[in-house]
């Protein structure tokens, strides 16, 4: 009976609705962001890859780009959506237009897990740690 109860508990958690995270507390466990400064049609941007290190596909990812002054104070905030899903062990390219700043800080502000692993939006590889200029 104990084994049956454990199996039923596990099956119940698999069938539940996808969880969504509106904070970033655990986001650093699931995702890494490799980025650099860029230019898109003459406008300053931040571009790179976000990698999904969890066992489910992530969807509706929102990326926050904070412009920082030389003292590290936030001078601008831009939030943009990463298009498509990011499959487990995969990564997705992004480019976000951002006001010019001496430096930037990037973080994932929200996401949802897709049961079944979904695809699209990715770009192969698992890519590595936080970066930036």
């Amino acid at each position: 009976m104990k084994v049956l109860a454990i199996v039923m508990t596990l099956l119940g958690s698999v069938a539940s609705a996808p969880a969504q995270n509106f904070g970033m507390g655990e986001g650093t466990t699931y995702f890494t962001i490799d980025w650099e400064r860029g230019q898109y049609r003459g406008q300053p941007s931040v571009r790179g890859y976000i990698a999904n290190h969890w066992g489910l596909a992530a969807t509706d990812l929102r990326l926050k780009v904070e412009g920082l002054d030389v003292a590290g104070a936030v001078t601008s905030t831009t939030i943009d959506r990463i298009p498509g899903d990011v499959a487990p062990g995969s990564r997705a390219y992004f480019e976000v237009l951002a006001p010019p700043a001496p430096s930037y800080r990037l973080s994932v502000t929200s996401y949802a897990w897709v049961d079944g692993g979904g695809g699209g939006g990715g770009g192969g590889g698992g890519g590595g740690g936080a970066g930036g200029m």
Side-chain angles (χ1 to χ4, degrees):
M1 289 304 267
K2 288 182 182 179
V3 172
L4 182 58
I6 292 171
V7 169
M8 294 303 289
T9 301
L10 291 174
L11 288 176
S13 66
V14 169
S16 64
Q20 190 161 10
N21 178 21
F22 291 100
M24 187 50 201
E26 61 197 32
T28 55
T29 302
Y30 305 131
F31 306 105
T32 53
I33 304 169
D34 290 318
W35 63 274
E36 65 183 8
R37 293 173 181 271
Q39 289 270 327
Y40 181 78
R41 297 184 178 178
Q43 300 293 319
S45 69
V46 177
R47 62 182 173 212
Y49 290 91
I50 182 164
N52 178 1
H53 300 292
W54 193 241
L56 296 172
T59 191
D60 199 25
L61 280 150
R62 306 260 185 231
L63 186 64
K64 178 167 61 170
V65 177
E66 295 175 299
L68 307 174
D69 65 17
V70 293
V74 176
T75 58
S76 66
T77 301
T78 304
I79 297 177
D80 203 358
R81 184 179 174 278
I82 306 291
D85 296 346
V86 183
S90 185
R91 63 187 188 154
Y93 180 79
F94 66 85
E95 186 155 19
V96 177
L97 295 177
S103 62
Y104 296 96
R105 177 172 53 214
L106 280 68
S107 59
V108 175
T109 61
S110 67
Y111 55 91
W113 296 120
V114 178
D115 290 332
M133 298 180 156

